[in-house]
Amino acid sequence: MRARDRRYGKSSTRTRVGVATAALAGGAVAIAAVLAGSHGAGTAATSAAYSSRAGNEGTILSSVMSNWNWSRQSSYTQLAQLTQARQFSQAGHRGRTVAIQRGIVALATKKFLILQSSNGSLHLWLLSGATKFQNVSNTMAGTQALTASTSAAQQAMGSGNMTPATSLLAGSPTTAAALLTPTPAAQTVTVQVANTSLTVTVTVTRSMATVSQTATMPQAAMPTWNPVTFTQNAWQVTHGLARGDLALVVGTRSHWTLHAQLVLFVPLSTATTGRAAVGTGATPVVMPTAVATHW
């Protein structure tokens, strides 16, 4: 795979967004989010087959997190087997809730990241000093774990063709190009964490992101009301991760918030997504801002 070079400061933004602009000329693109379905116990009860799958998924995700430090290859193999978890999924395991999401990064900050899946669902993951980040762009096993697709991984590693992987995780190259390219018109997404007072709204205009959150983001307690607004570069790099990167997150849910334990990612090339978006003949469409509630 031809991984993008990492550069910090002003040159980082140019590397990420410099080429795909042509793919979006003629219209601003806003990101539409749809409500994600919850894979909770209520749904599992309706199907014995689903219950079996969910139980197995919980065991696998717990094993992935436990084994990462001493058997990374085993974790890659287990994640690659979770082909049913194409967007967001959660399951119970020994009294706790474990979760996984595949998608594309809508925003990365020092304290949290927002991941958008191929079906448009948005989820906010809290980060901590214990969160592990791994760039898997140079490993076949890691890319298979990220995509849950041998074919997509082979094309990415063999010829640098990121279109299959991008389509699986982001939904389409056009969607990815929208996240990689600054536009004059504002792009806004909002994530509400159900059963809490926490709502996060991100508005990206050109190269700047304005982030408004209504509550705190504690690691071991419920969010409490405390409105805060801050700005940052929309493509700020956090532990090597930035807006527009393909990613997989594994973690737990407690106090209604998602806590990232492991983040696998591939820096997505703006040149590749730009060519792919143009090649599909897709026309960017201005879509209304939508609100995603995650639970």
Side-chain angles (χ1 to χ4, degrees), residues 34-283:
V34 298
L35 298 183
S38 174
H39 293 182
T43 304
T46 65
S47 168
Y50 184 91
S51 179
S52 175
R53 180 199 68 75
N56 185 53
E57 182 177 297
T59 301
I60 290 175
L61 292 178
S62 181
S63 177
V64 165
M65 290 183 283
S66 299
N67 294 340
W68 178 256
N69 286 335
W70 64 272
S71 183
R72 191 163 301 183
Q73 184 64 42
S74 173
S75 294
Y76 285 154
T77 300
Q78 290 177 304
L79 287 170
Q81 294 171 351
L82 291 177
T83 56
Q84 77 281 358
R86 292 294 181 187
Q87 290 93 31
F88 174 82
S89 184
Q90 63 182 16
H93 181 73
R94 296 184 177 179
R96 67 173 182 169
T97 300
V98 292
I100 181 174
Q101 186 183 6
R102 289 182 165 98
I104 187 168
V105 178
L107 187 74
T109 76
K110 293 180 179 179
K111 293 185 177 181
F112 66 87
L113 66 87
I114 296 176
L115 200 64
Q116 176 179 317
S117 291
S118 59
N119 64 353
S121 63
L122 293 164
H123 291 268
L124 184 147
W125 293 84
L126 301 187
L127 306 176
S128 72
T131 304
K132 300 174 179 65
F133 296 84
Q134 182 64 50
N135 183 335
V136 297
S137 60
N138 293 320
T139 164
M140 179 66 180
T143 306
Q144 282 182 287
L146 177 76
T147 61
S149 169
T150 300
S151 175
Q154 288 174 337
Q155 292 186 66
M157 295 299 298
S159 62
N161 179 11
M162 291 300 298
T163 299
T166 301
S167 297
L168 282 172
L169 273 69
S172 73
T174 302
T175 299
L179 288 167
L180 287 162
T181 307
T183 59
Q187 302 177 13
T188 299
V189 295
T190 297
V191 182
Q192 296 174 340
V193 182
N195 300 305
T196 75
S197 58
L198 178 58
T199 298
V200 177
T201 300
V202 179
T203 299
V204 176
T205 306
R206 294 184 173 85
S207 295
M208 294 303 297
T210 300
V211 183
S212 299
Q213 65 184 67
T214 60
T216 60
M217 297 183 183
Q219 290 292 321
M222 284 284 287
T224 56
W225 184 261
N226 184 31
V228 174
T229 298
F230 63 91
T231 60
Q232 67 170 55
N233 188 297
W235 289 272
Q236 175 177 297
V237 178
T238 300
H239 299 285
L241 187 72
R243 176 179 170 90
D245 289 350
L246 301 181
L248 174 152
V249 184
V250 178
T252 61
R253 182 188 293 282
S254 63
H255 303 287
W256 296 103
T257 54
L258 292 168
H259 301 263
Q261 299 290 321
L262 174 64
V263 182
L264 307 184
F265 66 94
V266 167
L268 200 58
S269 166
T270 53
T272 301
T273 56
R275 290 196 301 271
V278 172
T280 61
T283 301

